[in-house]
Amino acid sequence: MELATLMIHAGAEPDPSTGAIMTPIYQTSTFVQQAPGVHKGYEYARSQNPTRFALESALAAIEQGKYALAFSSGVAATDAVLKLLQPGDEVIAANDMYGGTYRLFTKVYEKFGIHFKFTDTTLPQNVQNAISPKTKLIWIETPTNPLMNITDIAAIAAIAKKANVLLCVDNTFASPFLQNPLLLGADIVMHSATKYLSGHSDVIQGCLVMNDDALRDQLYFIQKSCGAVPGPMDCFLVLRGIKTLHVRMERHCENGATVAHFLRNHPKVAHVYWCGFEDHPGYAVAQKQMRGYGGMMSFTLKDDSVENAKRVLSSTHLFSLAESLGGVESLINHPASMTHASIPREERLKNGLTDSLIRLSVGIEDEKDLIDDLNKAIG
Ligand SMILES: *Cc1c(COP(=O)(O)O)cnc(C)c1O
């Protein structure tokens, strides 16, 4: 089935008891058994919930995987992957990624004896060089948040396979509509479903998608044992969001291209980070592994003082000043003080994330209004 059809039909069986076309919100904590151990496959809602199962089967289908597991947030999904590891294990991670992932790795898992090596994964050789006998996991994000760097998933997957190391790809920025890492050799795909999957800025949720049976069993065990499961109402919302993912993403891509080109041609803009430009260092790889370039981008101004950046950040009307991304409405964000404040300043600067960088999540409004809003704010 083509992706657009899958988005609408995957996981959606009419409700067996009533024929309801939409999966009901099974707002229940437990399920009645006919006799001890005799039941319909549902015992207790932390372990099994029909609304969550419908969502998980939709997520697996649209990410071109066999299994999916939903979590109460994106970081809870990341946390579940880290729980596969033992003290003494090493993780190779991208040096430009979501601040909350960096915080979880360095502030929570370091103290349990897991070691992290951060490197520029846009050069696969760096990952190869960082591999040691203790390496158990490679964690990458592509495109990255907020600098839109591109890592070659197939190249990293080949390195991971040779070293017998798991590769997990945070696919939040691309969404399953633009990129499917499992098809490129990744072992696990992670999403913050809070973003494009839900698409309406009304839910916090995460998920993991994988093909391997044993890996699925281990992660399901962690999901039910540690308990970071999403509630049925939230599962319903993400399931509904997925039904329009393809049409939303097409418009995010169109508007993203228009806004990126507008910014690049603006006399007061210094640099635009967007992976759809032919002279973007990752363009060839992006073209190979993505179906479009999305609506995420960052830019700097020629007057690169923090005050000037803050002036623009406070002057837009349609672009709301807020963390998060991937909703139908456009957002503007200051990574240094908002989404990436948990990364130490020297680390940020080393990786090119300056104090004056502005990030946009371009929504699906009319592009003329978006350009007009930015034009007035940049002044
Ligand atoms: C938001 C985000 C996360 C964390 O997800 P939550 O749902 O906020 O817990 C992880 N990775 C990326 C790329 C994100 O944008």
Side-chain angles (χ1 to χ4, degrees), residues 7 25 30 55 70 85 88 99 129 140 170 195 224 259 285 302 322 350 353 373:
M7 301 285 168
I25 301 163
T30 193
L55 170 66
L85 305 178
N129 295 346
I140 62 171
D170 182 338
K195 317 292 169 52
K224 77 171 180 190
V259 170
V285 176
K302 283 192 178 145
K350 228 168 40 193
L353 202 172
D373 192 36

Side-chain angles (χ1 to χ4, degrees), residues 72-76 78 98 101 141 145 170 172-173 190-195 204-206 324-325 359:
S72 54
S73 68
V75 293
T78 304
Y98 178 67
T101 305
E141 205 179 296
N145 178 2
D170 182 338
T172 302
F173 264 40
M190 174 265 163
H191 280 282
S192 167
T194 311
K195 317 292 169 52
I204 296 283
Q205 194 174 114
S324 201
L325 60 107
R359 190 187 80 179

Side-chain angles (χ1 to χ4, degrees), residues 118-158:
F118 295 96
T119 188
D120 176 1
T121 60
T122 63
L123 301 169
Q125 191 59 40
N126 289 344
V127 175
Q128 181 63 57
N129 295 346
I131 298 244
S132 89
K134 291 182 176 165
T135 311
K136 292 285 147 52
L137 173 70
I138 299 171
W139 187 280
I140 62 171
E141 205 179 296
T142 182
T144 61
N145 178 2
L147 291 170
M148 306 306 295
N149 288 316
I150 301 292
T151 289
D152 187 333
I153 299 172
I156 305 292

